[in-house]
Amino acid sequence: ELIIINFFNQNTMKHYFLTAAIMLLTTVGLLSCDKDSPDTPPAPAKTEMVFVHSVNIGDNTYVSVFKDMNVGSLNTDNALVMPKGAFSFVYKGKVYITDTEHIYKYAQKEGKLVQEGNTILLPSGAAAMYITFASDHKAYVSCSGLGKVIIINPTTMEKVGEIDLAEYSLGKAAGDNNPEPAASVIRDGILYVALSQMKSTYVCEAGAYVALIDTKTDKPIKVVSDPRVSMASGESPAGDPFIDEKGDIYFYCVAMFGYQPGVKEGFLRIKKGETDFDKSYCFTLADVDLVGVKGNKTSYAYMKVYGGNGKVYAYLNIPGAASNPPDYVHDKCFQPFEINLYNKSCTKLDLSATTGWAATLCKSGNDIIFGMSTDQGMGYSVYHPATATYEILKVKTAGAPYFVHELR
């Protein structure tokens, strides 16, 4: 009894347990160093998805995530099923999808996309086709069917306002109050919204038009125009406008996709510190003699991505490679090119041409990912600009590649 009492003396007890703890930790450390593997296996590493992509099959668009370009092949087992033609956008790792009258927000979880927050319901015929994010709490949604830009909170997924652009329609005298707001970009507190200015389904107004909106007040500032090229944006996301390293904004004006006589396509620029088009710059791709394609000409650029250092990667429509009359289902006449905006040149890439309904691309690190349907099959090929090398059909897809983005 005396020994027990002395043993549990407070000071003695602290010393005993401290000494015992040190000996135990030392022993465990030595034993763990001697073992090839720990007693308890480590928890499996969390799998991070790097890309979100969509493919079209039949009447549906399937949206899913995948890890990287080493997956080999992709199916639609875990994909969201959306109406055909749904557009996808990425902001801070979240995926936003619009089927033109709804906006959904998704997060990735265990290899799947899980909806977060509310579904934003837009008016019938809204034709929401572009989302530009100003912050965690403000994003602008171009609704080309309404003539308005809807303002949403992308965190709470609520509509918080709208900007009516009806007064800028060139067809007002004929009762057309819709200038068709389309793709947009934010620079220095100003939202630049391209206006398609459609006269009818297959005819655009001559000239390029862009509305400038103050992002602090959400009030229009002015509309700028340029007569040299027409239709400052198509009515679906196509990779522009974008801002280069100099802070200059580039718009690609699609000129009714080459089907309207009398109007021209091409790139325009609004320089850093300016709010009007640069009168010294206009780059019309149709004027360039292209090497390595039938007919040596393009009628317009389709999907594109800015790769840096003044270089744009895009699919150029090559009329000389099309059937006569054109077969829009089977013709593979969209050829990947590198476009140099600074020296106004176009260089054909060593990739096969694709159909117009399977032509997407994105930048990943320093590489360019091309999603195509070529003679080799459907899927993603990788171009490494630094070494001018290719990985052809690196990933095969179950459907026609429609959109692909990095999840960042």
Side-chain angles (χ1 to χ4, degrees), residues 293-299 316-324 331-333:
V293 295
K294 294 180 180 179
N296 305 112
K297 291 291 182 181
T298 183
S299 55
L316 300 190
N317 182 48
I318 309 299
S323 305
N324 188 15
D331 281 348
K332 295 179 174 64
C333 55

Side-chain angles (χ1 to χ4, degrees), residues 315 330-336 351-360 371-375 377:
Y315 296 95
H330 300 104
D331 281 348
K332 295 179 174 64
C333 55
F334 286 84
Q335 176 63 48
L351 290 166
S352 297
T354 182
T355 59
W357 43 265
T360 186
M372 301 183 286
S373 175
T374 69
D375 291 336

Side-chain angles (χ1 to χ4, degrees), residues 208-262:
Y209 301 85
V210 174
L212 279 62
I213 297 169
D214 187 327
T215 58
K216 291 182 180 179
T217 64
D218 293 326
K219 302 293 183 184
I221 301 170
K222 64 179 180 178
V223 168
V224 296
S225 62
D226 195 302
R228 294 174 291 179
V229 291
S230 297
M231 198 175 176
S233 174
E235 296 189 276
S236 62
D240 68 289
F242 53 81
I243 302 172
D244 73 356
E245 295 87 339
K246 301 175 184 179
D248 299 341
I249 305 175
Y250 287 84
F251 295 85
Y252 180 70
C253 305
V254 73
M256 209 57 241
F257 306 97
Y259 297 110
Q260 182 176 331

Side-chain angles (χ1 to χ4, degrees), residues 17 26 31 33 82 108 113 151 166 174 186 223 232 256 268 326 337 401:
F17 279 113
T26 303
L31 288 173
C33 290
M82 308 295 293
Q108 60 158 317
L113 290 172
I151 308 169
I186 296 172
V223 168
M256 209 57 241
L268 293 178
F337 266 81

